Amino acid sequence: MTALPLAGIRVLDLSTVLAAPVTATFLGDFGAEVVKVEEPGRGDFTRGTTPGARSAYWAQEARNKKSVTLDLRTGPGQRIVRDLIPHFDVVVTNYRPPTLRSWGLDPDRLGEIAPDTVLVYVTGYGLTGPYSDRGSFDRIASAFAGLTYVTGDVDRDPVRSGYSTIDYMAAYLGAFAVVTALYHRDTADGGGQVVDLALYEAGFRASEDALAAFATTGRVRERAGNRNAQIVPASDFTTSDGRRVSLHAGTDALFRRLSALMGRPELAESARYATRAVRARNADALYALIAEWAARHTADDLTRLLGEAGIPASPLMSIADIAADPHYRERGTIVDVHDPEFGELPMPAPLPRLSKTPGSVRSTGPALGAHNTEVYRDVLGLSEQEIAELAADGVI
């Protein structure tokens, strides 16, 4: 088997909920050795509501990780983690800057003790700026990034995404930053560096041309529901079996295909619909025509017809739909992984897919502190007695 591309890279995961630890998960998927530091007796938030338990969420997002316990609120715990850090290529954390400073984990301190380590700080608002000391979560980052403001129906209050979208977007940015920084370190003898990633920045970077449009025209992007005001038709439609199908025929070429499929080829030649600009001005009338046509078909038939005509379309998929969909399985987007507690557990595969060095799930989320002896003995050289004393004192 080909060695995984990040084999030999050691990552210390000093984080919880959610972008920072998932950053470490992505690195582990591609071969990095990831050591997760957890609170003694309780463990990570994603373990669930029972202290030290193993939820299915934990099994997935702590895959390919080792678990050690360490109380970072104590002086001995802070000294131990600072002793650990120089042994790692990458440290990922997401504590607020005041906490980082009080625990001696701020960039200046760690840069002194581990000059060759890539230090990844995924914080709510970044390490600089007037809001840097504030905390955040996905919901707050979505609000601050402007994502929530533009999401939802025109005549209703804004809504956030149904998933923690910004957390996972930030995790991919974090993983990208790590491999970029490691490349610089190892090919240019550049040493370690600080990755300063604010959670909201992942959402803001997805804001398309909203800022440029505001700067040049004064236009503020507003909620448009399922429609895009500039790209018509592109929306969701209800089918005869009560399901919803999303289609995108917003280019002139795609609209000609849709018109022909609807049995109305003249629409694509009419003055009201021939170009994207005029379709945008007559969107309501056009959407009414498409809705009436879509309602004559079941969701599966409509999706098939659109696909055969080369028009991008998909039913709105629930997680139950996804679990049963053959494409997810045959492509390998979903993999079944054996877990000692849950049995065969389906989860998202390591992504993206690499042709020569694909990622892999080698283990699911470990028991709390399962690797205490291995890490503290083999990395720090502590004796069995020292480890036992630290455990007795509640430090680990």
Side-chain angles (χ1 to χ4, degrees):
M1 179 179 176
T2 303
L4 291 167
L6 296 181
I9 297 298
R10 183 181 275 174
V11 179
L12 189 62
D13 179 359
L14 294 175
S15 62
T16 186
V17 194
L18 185 62
V22 175
T23 297
T25 301
F26 290 160
L27 298 171
D29 282 351
F30 289 91
E33 177 189 0
V34 181
V35 176
K36 170 82 172 179
V37 174
E38 301 186 73
E39 182 180 353
R42 179 171 297 277
D44 190 81
F45 179 88
T46 54
R47 285 183 175 275
T49 56
T50 302
R54 294 182 71 258
S55 67
Y57 201 7
W58 171 257
Q60 173 180 298
E61 296 306 356
R63 66 194 191 190
N64 300 326
K65 294 185 181 183
K66 300 177 179 179
S67 170
V68 300
T69 52
L70 188 61
D71 190 348
L72 296 176
R73 295 178 176 83
T74 67
Q78 293 162 15
R79 288 193 293 273
I80 288 172
V81 78
R82 286 194 292 271
D83 288 342
L84 278 172
I85 284 170
H87 296 275
F88 287 79
D89 299 282
V90 181
V91 175
V92 183
T93 188
N94 63 348
Y95 294 107
R96 292 189 304 119
T99 302
L100 294 169
R101 291 190 291 269
S102 68
W103 289 355
L105 299 176
D106 56 279
D108 290 342
R109 183 75 179 274
L110 296 191
E112 292 176 356
I113 66 175
D116 291 325
T117 299
V118 175
L119 306 171
V120 183
Y121 292 89
V122 185
T123 58
Y125 294 87
L127 297 175
T128 61
Y131 306 156
S132 60
D133 286 356
R134 297 181 182 179
S136 186
F137 291 99
D138 180 276
R139 173 182 294 275
I140 308 306
S142 181
F144 190 70
L147 183 60
T148 305
Y149 182 85
V150 299
T151 304
D153 291 327
V154 177
D155 57 348
R156 297 188 179 184
D157 290 338
V159 295
R160 67 176 287 269
S161 169
Y163 291 125
S164 296
T165 304
I166 287 184
D167 276 329
Y168 283 85
M169 290 169 61
Y172 273 116
L173 279 178
F176 167 74
V178 166
V179 296
T180 302
L182 288 174
Y183 181 83
H184 177 259
R185 185 194 71 174
D186 296 340
T187 63
D189 196 24
Q193 61 180 295
V194 174
V195 175
D196 177 5
L197 176 59
L199 190 60
Y200 76 88
E201 289 171 334
F204 174 67
R205 189 60 184 87
S207 61
E208 302 174 6
D209 67 337
L211 182 60
F214 175 71
T216 55
T217 70
R219 178 173 61 86
V220 174
R221 180 77 70 92
E222 300 286 351
R223 293 182 296 288
N226 285 317
R227 299 184 184 183
N228 184 320
Q230 305 302 315
I231 301 175
V232 178
S235 190
D236 303 339
F237 300 91
T238 302
T239 56
S240 63
D241 51 351
R243 297 172 65 192
R244 297 277 282 176
V245 169
S246 183
L247 70 84
H248 190 309
T251 68
D252 293 346
L254 285 174
F255 184 64
R256 285 193 292 272
R257 295 180 190 176
L258 178 61
S259 299
L261 183 63
M262 293 170 60
R264 301 285 304 275
E266 73 279 3
L267 293 176
E269 307 300 329
S270 73
R272 288 167 59 84
Y273 306 126
T275 67
R276 183 162 67 96
V278 297
R279 287 196 299 275
R281 291 197 292 270
N282 297 285
D284 288 344
L286 178 57
Y287 278 126
L289 294 173
I290 298 172
E292 189 275 331
W293 171 74
R296 299 185 217 143
H297 304 277
T298 67
D300 289 343
D301 284 345
L302 181 61
T303 304
R304 177 182 56 79
L305 289 169
L306 289 164
E308 291 172 351
I311 300 167
S314 173
L316 273 59
M317 304 279 278
S318 73
I319 197 63
D321 297 325
I322 288 170
D325 189 86
H327 185 86
Y328 276 84
R329 289 289 181 174
E330 292 178 23
R331 178 170 164 76
T333 309
I334 293 175
V335 293
D336 289 321
V337 181
H338 180 75
D339 180 87
E341 186 171 348
F342 299 103
E344 293 302 307
L345 185 64
M347 62 180 65
L351 299 171
R353 192 179 317 280
L354 275 64
S355 63
K356 292 185 178 180
T357 55
S360 67
V361 181
R362 302 172 299 284
S363 63
T364 54
L368 183 62
H371 302 89
N372 277 358
T373 299
E374 173 187 334
V375 172
Y376 292 133
R377 180 193 62 205
D378 296 348
V379 177
L380 290 186
L382 299 182
S383 67
E384 300 284 348
Q385 181 177 346
E386 289 173 313
I387 294 171
E389 290 174 353
L390 288 169
D393 292 340
V395 177
I396 64 174

